Amino acid sequence: DTIDAPILTAKSVTGDEVPLQPLVAAILDRLRAMSMNYVRENEENCKDLVEADVLWVLTVPAIWLESDKQFMREAAKQARIIDDVNSNDLILALEPECAAIRLSALKNINLETGDKLLVLDCGGGTVDVCAIEVSSDRKTDGRFRFRQLLEPSGGNWGATYIDDRFYRFLKKFCGSEVMEHVENNPAILQEVRHSWEKLKCSVTRKDFLPESDGRVIQLDRLLEILPEAIGDLVKRYNQIHKHPVGAKRTGLIKKELVLTPSILKTFFDPVVVKIVKHAVNLVKKPELQNLKHVVLVGG
């Protein structure tokens, strides 16, 4: 007897679960239609272009298994990008290698034959790393070519793992009942996610220094449903937790939650340390002697 693979699902902001592959296929189908329409409308000789005339390239994380890539090929077939999962009309390209190709197209970056690059693609879920060498450049061959120095590597060290630590903190700070209410209220949940994302992407090195005043995070709707004043919650939280938070008056009455350098480090450090440790270990390998560039990309 064969064992059926578990059906992967995705959860919406309202908590509904849907099968993942049809969802990915729907997104790819939308991208396919948008791409085809754009080319047909903007390229003179492509008015009658059909999908079978196109060599499609989808980028995937470097650490994906073959089963993950097969999942994407099946979704691409459902999206009418290809008519067979093994079609040569679809290339699954590794994201950090695509970043290196893009880097070679920038005029202010001077890459030459023999240059070694370590490319770290820091995304939402994963950090993907590739080590490559320029095997030919525009001067010698008219175009760039790369060769792989090490097997692609990486890990589940993306930004969503920083998010997870922030949300775990928020649950401890506000209480389980409040956060359950937030998760069932899309307006409040969206405000929390937007405010955290805005703060997370604007954090600088100075925000982690002990002398920093910390960062105010605006959570107006969340604060309105708290059972106690924010000052009282801050006091209680700091009595039982090692890394304190603060409250700052931003108006005559209004107070906001302050994320101190200490608490910010608990969000970022566990993830960043893993990325740095992995990169340092790679740089020590003999294949990367005389490394010329370390490239950080993603978003």
Side-chain angles (χ1 to χ4, degrees):
D1 294 337
T2 59
I3 300 176
D4 294 332
I7 297 177
L8 299 175
T9 60
K11 184 178 288 187
S12 71
V13 293
T14 58
D16 298 323
E17 287 196 357
V18 295
L20 182 59
Q21 192 168 79
L23 178 61
V24 173
I27 295 171
L28 291 178
D29 186 45
R30 176 62 175 163
L31 291 173
R32 174 199 57 78
M34 291 173 61
S35 301
M36 294 296 293
N37 289 338
Y38 179 84
V39 174
R40 288 168 182 156
E41 293 172 3
N42 293 277
E43 298 294 333
E44 188 64 33
N45 299 322
C46 296
K47 304 300 182 185
D48 300 319
L49 186 72
V50 296
E51 282 77 2
D53 296 329
V54 178
L55 175 61
W56 298 88
V57 179
L58 294 177
T59 63
V60 298
I63 63 172
W64 266 21
L65 302 174
E66 288 304 315
S67 57
D68 301 320
K69 297 174 184 177
Q70 184 67 17
F71 172 96
M72 185 60 76
R73 283 188 165 274
E74 291 170 359
K77 180 183 177 183
Q78 293 178 29
R80 296 175 290 168
I81 289 176
I82 50 177
D83 55 14
D84 184 271
V85 291
N86 297 315
S87 173
N88 292 326
D89 291 335
L90 172 62
I91 295 175
L92 297 182
L94 302 185
E95 290 167 355
E97 293 182 350
C98 293
I101 293 172
R102 172 57 183 158
L103 187 69
S104 69
L106 299 178
K107 294 181 180 180
N108 59 334
I109 302 294
N110 184 28
L111 294 180
E112 298 179 344
T113 300
D115 284 356
K116 296 180 180 180
L117 299 87
L118 186 66
V119 183
L120 295 90
D121 181 4
C122 301
T126 63
V127 172
D128 300 291
V129 186
C130 72
I132 54 179
E133 182 179 33
V134 180
S135 56
S136 64
D137 57 40
R138 290 194 183 94
K139 296 178 183 177
T140 59
D141 193 38
R143 61 177 177 172
F144 277 95
R145 295 180 185 272
F146 299 98
R147 75 179 185 92
Q148 185 174 285
L149 296 175
L150 298 171
E151 284 294 318
S153 60
N156 295 318
W157 314 317
T160 55
Y161 294 92
I162 299 174
D163 299 340
D164 289 344
R165 292 181 175 276
F166 166 72
Y167 292 124
R168 281 194 294 230
F169 149 75
L170 208 56
K171 188 173 184 178
K172 291 178 183 177
F173 180 79
C174 298
S176 300
E177 290 186 9
V178 171
M179 289 310 296
E180 184 177 345
H181 178 77
V182 170
E183 290 168 2
N184 293 320
N185 189 311
I188 302 178
L189 183 60
Q190 182 64 23
E191 180 202 58
V192 172
R193 288 179 172 174
H194 175 76
S195 296
W196 165 243
E197 187 70 17
K198 183 178 179 181
L199 187 150
K200 179 184 68 176
C201 293
S202 64
V203 164
T204 68
R205 197 172 174 182
K206 293 180 180 179
D207 294 316
F208 298 104
L209 298 177
E211 60 268 26
S212 170
D213 293 330
R215 295 291 301 273
V216 172
I217 181 167
Q218 294 184 333
L219 301 170
D220 294 348
R221 291 181 175 178
L222 173 60
L223 298 184
E224 288 175 0
I225 64 171
L226 291 179
E228 301 177 66
I230 186 172
D232 294 333
L233 285 175
V234 165
K235 184 178 180 179
R236 182 178 293 110
Y237 180 88
N238 291 345
Q239 286 175 342
I240 59 176
H241 291 91
K242 179 180 178 181
H243 303 283
V245 294
K248 182 177 181 180
R249 190 176 299 280
T250 56
L252 292 176
I253 302 176
K254 183 178 177 182
K255 281 188 176 181
E256 298 280 7
L257 178 63
V258 177
L259 301 178
T260 64
S262 178
I263 197 74
L264 282 173
K265 284 174 68 67
T266 69
F267 305 154
F268 284 84
D269 276 5
V271 177
V272 174
V273 166
K274 291 177 182 177
I275 299 171
V276 173
K277 182 178 179 181
H278 184 69
V280 169
N281 288 337
L282 290 178
V283 170
K284 292 178 181 178
K285 291 183 178 292
E287 294 90 343
L288 289 182
Q289 284 187 351
N290 302 315
L291 179 66
K292 187 72 177 289
H293 302 282
V294 177
V295 184
L296 187 67
V297 301

